[in-house]
Amino acid sequence: MLKFTTLTGVAAPLPIINIDTDMIIPKQYLKTIKRTGLGTALFSEMRYNEDGSDNADFVLNKPAYKGASILVAGDNFGCGSSREHAPWALLDFGIRCVISTSFADIFYNNCFKNGILPVVVSKEEHDKLLDDASRGANSTMTVDLEAQEIKGPDGGTIRFEIDPFRKHCLMNGLDDIGLTMEKAASIDSFEAKAAQSRPWA
């Protein structure tokens, strides 16, 4: 998993409440178990017109936001079904951080397991960040996980809270498999002892 330490990038505003996982990536794209290639399907029903052309009104299609790596989203982001393809699509598109006032629990957990930082802020802080994100090409923010701070384009700083264990995992690029592999020596030792004591097993 990619490490997350400090991210500086363009923040795109998407102040729609209750964006569910089917809006993030519609069900027809769930046939694959690959984590790559899903970025083109991200928000596809909002990003594309019926003929497949780009919807010029959608924020991520606007020139200033095409390279966005931070998303300032509305309340209850990631609700709906528990599809892991949703964070896969965000990550493949290039989104490494989503900021909202609240997230659906399963989506929130899935973000951490896929190298995406979900940040919860207050309504007042969210309003400020949305305003910052609405500046187009000037909406650059810096998210510092170590300091637990978001710095806006004017230099203003917002602090956020995060579980220490999840912070450790993100900063060290550890998903569930990575955490297990940290114990590889102990696992190998246990298996060797078990093989000696139970050679018939």
Side-chain angles (χ1 to χ4, degrees):
M1 188 174 77
L2 290 173
K3 294 181 180 181
F4 191 114
T5 52
T6 301
L7 171 67
T8 298
V10 171
L14 191 63
I16 302 171
I17 65 169
N18 300 322
I19 290 181
D20 63 27
T21 51
D22 193 57
M23 291 173 70
I24 296 171
I25 182 164
K27 59 186 178 299
Q28 62 266 32
Y29 298 101
L30 306 185
K31 298 174 184 177
T32 180
I33 57 171
K34 289 184 178 181
R35 300 187 183 203
T36 57
L38 294 172
T40 55
L42 181 69
F43 300 122
S44 66
E45 292 182 356
M46 292 186 283
R47 263 173 82 192
Y48 305 117
N49 297 314
E50 289 187 9
D51 62 1
S53 61
D54 286 354
N55 173 9
D57 292 329
F58 184 65
V59 62
L60 294 179
N61 287 335
K62 295 179 179 179
Y65 296 111
K66 283 200 170 182
S69 56
I70 301 167
L71 195 64
V72 184
D75 187 54
N76 197 29
F77 188 82
C79 56
S81 64
S82 58
R83 61 190 68 171
E84 198 166 6
H85 291 69
W88 292 354
L90 286 163
L91 189 63
D92 193 59
F93 181 85
I95 302 293
R96 294 294 315 279
C97 177
V98 182
I99 303 168
S100 181
T101 51
S102 68
F103 294 89
D105 288 343
I106 294 176
F107 175 83
Y108 185 79
N109 293 330
N110 281 339
C111 281
F112 285 105
K113 294 181 179 184
N114 288 282
I116 297 173
L117 174 61
V119 176
V120 178
V121 295
S122 69
K123 175 68 168 62
E124 293 74 20
E125 292 167 335
H126 187 259
D127 288 344
K128 167 62 177 163
L129 292 170
L130 268 179
D131 182 63
D132 288 343
S134 299
R135 302 183 184 190
N138 295 320
S139 64
T140 300
M141 296 181 189
T142 295
V143 182
D144 186 334
L145 181 53
E146 175 64 32
Q148 294 178 211
E149 292 180 344
I150 303 169
K151 292 183 180 177
D154 293 334
T157 300
I158 290 173
R159 282 193 51 79
F160 61 89
E161 297 300 318
I162 185 171
D163 176 78
F165 175 71
R166 285 174 163 159
K167 178 179 178 178
H168 167 79
C169 291
L170 267 182
M171 292 196 69
N172 291 280
L174 298 172
D175 57 11
D176 289 346
I177 295 173
L179 283 167
T180 301
M181 294 310 296
E182 281 195 319
K183 308 294 183 183
S186 298
I187 294 169
D188 290 344
S189 176
F190 175 84
E191 292 290 344
K193 289 177 182 176
Q196 289 179 352
S197 62
R198 303 169 62 225
W200 62 88

